[in-house]
Amino acid sequence: MVPRYTRPQMAAIWSPEERFRIWFEIEALAAEAMARLGTIPEDAARVIREKGAPRAASIGPAEVEAIDAIERVTRHDVIAFLTWMGEGIGPEARFMHQGMTSSDVLDTCLAVQMTRAADLLIADLDALLAALKARAFEHQFTPTIGRSHGIHAEPTTFGLKLAGYYAEFRRNRDRLVAARVEIATCAISGPVGTFASVDPRVEAYVAEKLGLAVEPVSTQVIPRDRHAAFFAALGVVASSIERLATEVRHLQRSEVREAEEFFHAGQKGSSAMPHKRNPVLSENLTGLARLVRSHVVPAMENVALWHERDISHSSVERVIAPDATIGLDFALARLTGMMEKLTVYPERMAENLEGLGGVVHSQKVLLALTQAGMSREAAYAAVQAAAMATWRALGRPESRRFRDNLLAEPGVAAVMDGAALDAAMDPARDFAHVRTIFDRVFAAE
């Protein structure tokens, strides 16, 4: 992921320096477990830890280059790392990696990195949920128009809109927590995963120290259905980000103007048109969501490895694991800031709500007419005729409100007077159960 969309804490998880430090920790823990079992001398495990820990901690760009230089000869990253570590540890380094295979280190390290990344993403979601909750309660009873097919439907509140997004991102948090559990597994099982050359108790020890579960059947690599589920969860979160970003983009359109991204002092919307105030953050989020989702299919395709293992997944994961988590981390933080500062225009919402002359109350009138004795077919025809008459004359001198056109319909006037019609179209009826919905969404908090 390019620096523009990278936050330092997430980037640090995927840095080569941190990867090598995790590799050493896995090797050192495995050595400690082997020493306890008598597989290697206790002094060897102690020296590996005492000399290796400061060497691993000191890894910076120069040390990464030194390891990479060895890899250019060995053509094997884990061997290159072990060789470099051995130069600092001394003869006891020969007891590192006893009975292990490279995937034991690589896959367990990836599990550590992905769980750490998941923890950051869960914290990001918590911040977003807090912002959405605050804004939802702020606008719990702010009337606005609900839209279906992009067309005015019936009134709702802006708070209900945001409550819906809150509930969605709460589900996303649950999905990500579940994905974290699934990916947090350790494999120290040796070639083809049979434990022929390493005791299963070594795996259990390393897993416990790293806060991971033991992979039941590793086949030398941790099965990639776990990883596919993780990236699928990230893809769903990204889709929810795009849904909310798309809503903001629509609401900020010039002819809608119900809400807009905060416009900073000194901000410029266009190099050519000084009047522009563009939804650049939500458009950016839409693009980032596409990127995160694009990593889901490669993760799915990684599931089908040959026999006990191949490395067709390796090159894919070296790209998608950092890029998907870094991109989503940035997107969630950006979305949180955008929602915290979102500028809302209740007056404009009210204007749009009644901008079609009251036709948005058509269903309530339809129901009232049927309760007053009209057949549903006759009531629907009368209400639709009044609505179409209102639509067609909007903005013209001869225009009339929906209420007046309804009273001009003989069938309506026969069963309802103006007062009854006003009662049927009372906007308060649209919001009678707002608190009920809020209780459903937020009561468990």
Side-chain angles (χ1 to χ4, degrees):
M1 183 60 67
V2 297
R4 184 183 184 93
Y5 304 126
T6 302
R7 300 207 303 163
Q9 195 173 3
M10 184 65 83
I13 294 173
W14 302 105
S15 69
E17 292 88 349
E18 186 63 15
R19 182 178 73 250
F20 289 139
R21 293 187 192 107
I22 298 170
W23 285 9
F24 168 74
E25 186 62 21
I26 294 168
E27 295 283 3
L29 288 172
E32 291 172 3
M34 292 176 193
R36 292 186 177 197
L37 295 171
T39 306
I40 68 173
E42 290 185 4
D43 285 348
R46 178 179 52 79
V47 171
I48 289 170
R49 173 67 72 180
E50 290 179 353
K51 293 187 176 181
R55 186 166 176 79
S58 69
I59 295 176
E63 289 72 25
V64 171
E65 173 53 33
I67 298 170
D68 290 346
I70 298 172
E71 185 183 351
R72 287 193 285 272
V73 176
T74 63
R75 306 289 173 150
H76 195 290
D77 53 357
V78 175
I79 292 175
F81 171 73
L82 292 171
T83 300
W84 183 84
M85 286 298 301
E87 293 172 353
I89 293 173
E92 289 81 4
R94 70 186 188 276
F95 293 107
M96 292 178 67
H97 208 68
Q98 288 280 311
M100 296 166 61
T101 188
S102 298
S103 292
D104 292 334
V105 178
L106 296 173
D107 277 13
T108 302
C109 174
L110 182 59
V112 171
Q113 291 173 301
M114 292 177 76
T115 53
R116 290 180 182 176
D119 287 340
L120 289 183
L121 294 172
I122 291 168
D124 291 341
L125 281 168
D126 286 339
L128 175 60
L129 287 167
L132 289 171
K133 181 178 181 179
R135 300 310 301 270
F137 275 96
E138 177 187 352
H139 293 285
Q140 184 175 8
F141 292 103
T142 300
T144 190
I145 187 62
R147 297 173 173 90
S148 58
H149 306 276
I151 307 300
H152 285 203
E154 290 197 354
T156 182
T157 77
F158 194 61
L160 280 178
K161 280 178 175 278
L162 296 179
Y165 287 106
Y166 178 94
E168 182 172 341
F169 279 104
R170 191 68 181 79
R171 294 192 296 274
N172 281 326
R173 188 188 190 281
D174 293 341
R175 293 182 183 108
L176 192 51
V177 169
R180 185 202 185 280
V181 171
E182 187 163 8
I183 202 63
T185 59
C186 169
I188 308 289
S189 54
V192 302
T194 61
F195 296 101
S197 54
V198 60
D199 194 295
R201 288 174 289 182
V202 173
E203 180 183 66
Y205 179 85
V206 175
E208 180 184 2
K209 293 297 183 180
L210 293 177
L212 303 175
V214 167
E215 177 58 50
V217 183
S218 66
T219 73
Q220 190 166 329
V221 294
I222 293 173
R224 258 47 195 179
D225 63 290
R226 295 183 180 275
H227 303 71
F230 182 87
F231 287 103
L234 301 191
V236 175
V237 177
S239 294
S240 296
I241 290 173
E242 184 176 9
R243 190 172 85 87
L244 180 48
T246 300
E247 179 73 11
V248 172
R249 291 170 67 187
H250 168 75
L251 297 179
Q252 188 163 337
R253 289 168 52 202
S254 301
E255 59 270 32
V256 179
R257 292 187 294 117
E258 294 181 357
E260 68 172 350
E261 297 171 9
F262 182 78
F263 201 77
H264 294 263
Q267 183 174 343
K268 305 293 187 291
S270 167
S271 63
M273 296 167 283
H275 73 277
K276 294 297 290 298
R277 295 161 68 101
N278 300 328
V280 292
L281 298 180
S282 47
E283 289 174 342
N284 172 255
L285 289 170
T286 298
L288 288 171
R290 293 170 185 168
L291 282 175
V292 174
R293 281 198 305 271
S294 72
H295 298 321
V296 176
V297 170
M300 297 288 183
E301 293 174 342
N302 277 352
V303 174
L305 302 180
W306 285 19
H307 305 300
E308 279 58 55
R309 72 163 294 214
D310 64 53
I311 63 165
S312 60
H313 64 287
S314 176
S315 57
V316 176
E317 289 168 355
R318 289 175 192 263
V319 174
I320 69 173
D323 278 9
T325 54
I326 288 172
L328 190 60
D329 172 58
F330 182 91
L332 285 169
R334 170 154 285 184
L335 181 59
T336 299
M338 187 179 82
M339 296 311 298
E340 287 174 341
K341 296 182 178 180
L342 187 73
T343 304
V344 180
Y345 299 112
E347 298 83 3
R348 180 62 181 174
M349 291 179 178
E351 291 175 11
N352 287 339
L353 183 60
E354 292 300 330
L356 298 183
V359 298
V360 296
H361 302 296
S362 66
Q363 182 187 207
K364 295 193 290 291
V365 175
L366 171 64
L367 296 177
L369 288 173
T370 59
Q371 292 167 4
M374 289 183 71
S375 70
R376 180 177 176 86
E377 292 73 17
Y380 194 104
V383 173
Q384 186 179 47
M388 295 306 102
T390 308
W391 270 99
R392 285 192 294 268
L394 282 173
R396 298 178 183 176
E398 68 273 19
S399 67
R400 293 194 301 182
R401 300 279 300 173
F402 179 52
R403 176 188 184 279
D404 298 326
N405 284 323
L406 282 167
L407 291 173
E409 289 289 324
V412 173
V415 296
M416 294 184 71
D417 59 15
L421 199 54
D422 290 338
M425 294 195 295
D426 182 359
R429 299 179 62 184
D430 295 303
F431 312 127
H433 300 294
V434 169
R435 284 195 175 90
T436 299
I437 300 171
F438 266 63
D439 287 344
R440 289 179 174 180
V441 174
F442 298 108
E445 296 301 313

